[in-house]
Amino acid sequence: MDRRRKTGILLVMLFCMMVCGCTKDTKESASDNVRLDHLDQTVSEEVNESDASGDQSTNQINDLTDSIEQILEHAAKEFVGGYLVDESFFMWLSKQYGDECIYNLADAVMENVQNSESWYEITGKSIHVLWLEYCEHTGFQSYMLENVYWKECTDEHQVVLDFSGDINLSEGWSTTEYMDTQANGIEDCMSASLLSEMRGTDILMINNEYTYSTRGTPLKGKAYTFRANPQRVSVLDTLGADIVSVANNHVYDYGEEALVDTLETLENAGIPYVGAGRNITDAMKPVSFIANGRKITIVSATQIERSTNYTKEATEDSPGVLKTLKPDKFISVIEKARKNSDYVVVFVHWGTEGTNQYGSDQVTLGQQFIDAGADVIIGGHTHCLQGFAYYEGKPIIYSLGNFWFNNQKLDTGLSQVVIHTDTNQIDFRFLPCIQQGCVTSLVEDAGEKQRILDFMQEISAPGVTVDGEGYVREE
């Protein structure tokens, strides 16, 4: 008889244990009640199923009991992701994925295969994703679902993320004025192949280098200030953006009230953002995507400005950006994301404008970010391209520069991260583009494409290679 049908007595026993206080306590009594309610419902369902079958197997039930006890007793904290897993979690897991997954997990623990990959191999999902599903089903630790988005991917074995540099929708600026004269708006400001790439990727992230508001006044003494009408936020959806960074030195150009308008505008449009908030707690919040059974977390901060302070950092009671000139706060964000994610992507605004050579400050910060747990670093701010590097096997692009920002002719591109979810391999790639006359195009001419890739190779760190398809590797 199939063991999956033999859980009725076990569930009743465990339920009685929890009622009698034999199971471990949690820190949140309200959440405990939710879990008990869920457990009661699960027990009732299982007992009814068991009664209908009319056949119980004590040995098989004991097998399941033993398996759960083995996992709880012998699993390392890292194996369970540090989450508050207990009997009710494994009962839920059995209900969703079958008893066999419990036996397999117990085997992995008892064989001392304390590898978090076991969860993915057995269920097709990491422990981080399974825990979020559990929270969603039971209401336990529901706060963990904040800023979490589920994504369908084109390929079930990989997640493709594209990142762009600065875009500018500011009123009276060259890009916006040009867009307003085009029959199809922003669609006439990108080549067809580039639009196809941006809309077709699984996750697209853009640097939102301006504020959305009709309020506020330009900061006194600042040479360039950018403010877009909130109605222009629809451009992000047209481009296919899934998330934007607002950790930059222009999102505060019209002061506090315009920054708050920006956050509200993005929220109302359903566009997740990172790097700024109504207070420092909000500004430090990451955004996570669940894709192909993996949790990908994106965090963002700005190093700029370094010598002035036009752009305010958020405080406990005032809006602003998250800064990383002194990186302690941002490093804590990365460390926290590392603990409850499969992959961590850092999107950082840093460097010196107008130079293709990245600075020693960027190198130092990048290494600190990777030491804290970053898997990939995507940089911006300099209004021009900067090269690639690797540190501890993790890729960095120091700056994507402008993407669609003004009427100048310049080289730009999309940085692409391909996560192979079944092997944990990460491919890093650069897709060359050219901005010219307020139109950005994906480079399709072989000669021009190679020219840009050769240049990226030239300005990158020693030991980094860029092949003809834009794949970046460490020798």
Side-chain angles (χ1 to χ4, degrees):
M1 185 72 68
D2 188 350
R3 289 185 295 189
R4 291 183 177 86
R5 300 179 58 194
K6 306 304 179 181
T7 58
I9 294 175
L10 166 68
L11 295 173
V12 172
M13 291 169 58
L14 290 175
F15 176 69
C16 292
M17 290 171 64
M18 292 188 73
V19 171
C20 294
C22 296
T23 54
K24 64 180 181 181
D25 294 334
T26 64
K27 297 179 181 179
E28 302 176 81
S29 59
S31 297
D32 287 342
N33 292 334
V34 172
R35 299 169 88 189
L36 287 171
D37 291 342
H38 170 71
L39 179 59
D40 190 21
Q41 179 183 357
T42 303
V43 169
S44 298
E45 292 173 354
E46 294 293 343
V47 168
N48 290 338
E49 180 182 345
S50 177
D51 289 342
S53 69
D55 184 14
Q56 297 293 323
S57 173
T58 301
N59 289 336
Q60 290 177 347
I61 292 170
N62 288 338
D63 285 347
L64 189 60
T65 304
D66 291 343
S67 295
I68 293 175
E69 289 177 351
Q70 286 168 359
I71 298 171
L72 292 174
E73 182 177 354
H74 297 287
K77 184 177 180 180
E78 293 75 17
F79 181 74
V80 296
Y83 298 114
L84 297 174
V85 300
D86 60 6
E87 293 88 347
S88 62
F89 169 76
F90 287 107
M91 283 183 255
W92 169 86
L93 190 67
S94 173
K95 180 78 173 175
Q96 299 297 318
Y97 295 94
D99 293 353
E100 198 64 33
C101 77
I102 306 298
Y103 301 125
N104 290 335
L105 287 168
D107 288 343
V109 169
M110 296 309 293
E111 292 169 9
N112 204 29
V113 185
Q114 298 279 350
N115 190 330
S116 60
E117 281 303 290
S118 296
W119 299 89
Y120 184 86
E121 293 166 0
I122 293 168
T123 68
K125 296 174 182 176
S126 72
I127 180 60
H128 306 298
V129 175
L130 292 169
W131 186 256
L132 289 176
E133 287 186 350
Y134 174 66
C135 293
E136 185 176 44
H137 278 82
T138 65
F140 179 63
Q141 290 191 337
S142 57
Y143 63 87
M144 295 196 71
L145 298 169
E146 185 178 1
N147 289 352
V148 175
Y149 301 85
W150 271 257
K151 292 288 294 183
E152 294 289 334
C153 298
T154 302
D155 188 320
E156 65 179 355
H157 299 296
Q158 65 182 31
V159 185
V160 181
L161 303 92
D162 283 355
F163 300 86
S164 88
D166 305 346
I167 70 168
N168 195 341
L169 291 169
S170 179
E171 305 304 321
W173 197 247
S174 55
T175 47
T176 311
E177 289 185 339
Y178 178 83
M179 179 180 69
D180 288 344
T181 65
Q182 303 307 298
N184 299 304
I186 190 65
E187 294 181 281
D188 291 335
C189 302
M190 307 279 166
S191 68
S193 58
L194 180 56
L195 274 175
S196 178
E197 171 62 34
M198 296 171 73
R199 291 168 172 172
T201 193
D202 296 319
I203 298 170
L204 174 65
M205 184 172 187
I206 289 172
N207 185 45
N208 196 109
E209 186 85 347
Y210 51 91
T211 190
Y212 290 106
S213 185
T214 57
R215 302 192 299 160
T217 56
L219 296 179
K220 185 176 180 180
K222 193 169 186 182
Y224 295 99
T225 54
F226 302 129
R227 181 177 63 175
N229 189 297
Q231 294 178 348
R232 296 195 184 275
V233 74
S234 62
V235 167
L236 298 179
D237 184 62
T238 303
L239 293 176
D242 296 286
I243 178 174
V244 298
S245 173
V246 285
N248 56 61
N249 58 307
H250 286 291
V251 74
Y252 202 88
D253 279 356
Y254 281 73
E256 181 177 306
E257 59 185 358
L259 171 62
V260 173
D261 287 347
T262 300
L263 306 182
E264 290 180 354
T265 298
L266 291 168
E267 290 162 359
N268 292 336
I271 303 291
Y273 60 84
V274 282
R278 293 172 178 83
N279 52 55
I280 189 61
T281 300
D282 287 345
M284 294 171 72
K285 288 180 179 177
V287 167
S288 298
F289 293 95
I290 308 303
N292 286 348
R294 300 288 191 178
K295 183 181 180 185
I296 303 164
T297 297
I298 300 176
V299 297
S300 186
T302 176
Q303 181 208 29
I304 308 302
E305 299 95 2
R306 292 173 296 185
S307 58
T308 58
N309 194 30
Y310 291 114
T311 305
K312 302 300 182 184
E313 182 170 23
T315 68
E316 291 183 2
D317 55 9
S318 65
V321 300
L322 175 59
K323 291 195 173 183
T324 189
L325 183 60
K326 296 179 180 179
D328 291 354
K329 285 192 185 75
F330 191 42
I331 284 175
S332 73
V333 171
I334 299 169
E335 290 173 339
K336 185 176 180 179
R338 173 76 279 153
K339 291 178 181 178
N340 59 26
S341 305
D342 294 295
Y343 308 98
V344 179
V345 178
V346 167
F347 194 95
V348 58
H349 212 65
W350 61 0
T352 300
E353 292 185 11
T355 176
N356 298 116
Q357 305 303 313
Y358 52 87
S360 59
D361 56 338
Q362 291 167 273
V363 173
T364 299
L365 281 175
Q367 292 178 356
Q368 290 178 301
F369 297 159
I370 290 172
D371 287 340
D375 293 295
V376 177
I377 296 176
I378 310 291
H381 168 67
T382 63
H383 298 299
C384 61
L385 293 171
Q386 291 182 339
F388 308 108
Y390 276 81
Y391 173 71
E392 300 293 342
K394 307 296 177 65
I396 303 167
I397 180 169
Y398 283 107
S399 183
L400 281 166
N402 292 340
F403 184 69
W404 183 73
F405 193 79
N406 53 33
N407 57 7
Q408 298 175 7
K409 180 178 180 180
L410 51 83
D411 296 337
T412 182
L414 292 172
S415 186
Q416 186 175 86
V417 175
V418 182
I419 299 173
H420 299 272
T421 50
D422 50 353
T423 64
N424 264 339
Q425 176 186 346
I426 295 178
D427 287 335
F428 199 49
R429 192 181 182 197
F430 185 74
L431 307 179
C433 300
I434 292 178
Q435 174 197 274
Q436 182 176 12
C438 296
V439 175
T440 302
S441 303
L442 188 67
V443 176
E444 299 181 85
D445 177 79
E448 276 290 87
K449 180 179 178 180
Q450 192 60 53
R451 175 187 65 78
I452 296 173
L453 293 176
D454 287 345
F455 177 70
M456 293 300 291
Q457 169 89 62
E458 179 184 338
I459 61 175
S460 293
V464 172
T465 62
V466 186
D467 70 17
E469 293 302 314
Y471 286 97
V472 184
R473 296 183 174 89
E474 183 181 29
E475 291 182 342

